[in-house]
Amino acid sequence: MATPTPRVRLQAKGKKGEIIEIKTLAGHTMETGFRHTERGELIPRDIITQFVCTYNGNEIFRAELFPAISANPLITFTTVATESGTLEFKWTGDKGFTASHTAKLTVA
């Protein structure tokens, strides 16, 4: 599977102390490992297992994902705008899956 380009949506500017909503999506089929082929062979598990977001190097959100999560998982969370900087988003998973994205946030 080719590494998809993750999507991240957040406002680029905010006021100090403002709550910022962040939406992320990384395209992935999320095979549970419980299904079988037509020949009865087990389809190996292939899921995103972890998502981490950092804000200027400090972890602000982490999620552990399991086979019950849908394909192309959408993750929504909030943070408080404290200072201008960079948000880094990292997804990791089975079979060496990795995806990352960065976004700038300007705080006035």
Side-chain angles (χ1 to χ4, degrees):
M1 173 180 181
T3 302
T5 301
R7 297 180 197 166
V8 174
R9 189 174 187 176
L10 72 145
Q11 64 189 59
K13 297 180 182 181
K15 296 178 183 176
K16 189 169 184 155
E18 182 179 4
I19 296 174
I20 305 294
E21 181 180 63
I22 302 164
K23 293 182 180 185
T24 70
L25 180 120
H28 196 286
T29 57
M30 301 292 276
E31 183 56 59
T32 66
F34 299 126
R35 294 184 328 129
H36 294 82
T37 65
E38 291 177 2
R39 301 176 73 195
E41 299 165 340
L42 189 63
I43 300 171
R45 187 181 98 156
D46 185 12
I47 67 170
I48 296 173
T49 56
Q50 187 174 82
F51 169 75
V52 177
C53 177
T54 59
Y55 181 10
N56 287 339
N58 298 309
E59 186 176 302
I60 60 167
F61 185 84
R62 173 182 293 269
E64 303 293 327
L65 306 177
F66 298 92
I69 298 296
S70 67
N72 307 315
L74 172 68
I75 300 171
T76 302
F77 59 100
T78 60
T79 192
V80 176
T82 57
E83 62 186 352
S84 295
T86 304
L87 288 104
E88 274 191 83
F89 306 89
K90 294 182 183 177
W91 294 262
T92 56
D94 296 334
K95 298 184 179 182
F97 176 84
T98 61
S100 61
H101 184 79
T102 59
K104 299 285 185 187
L105 175 62
T106 303
V107 177

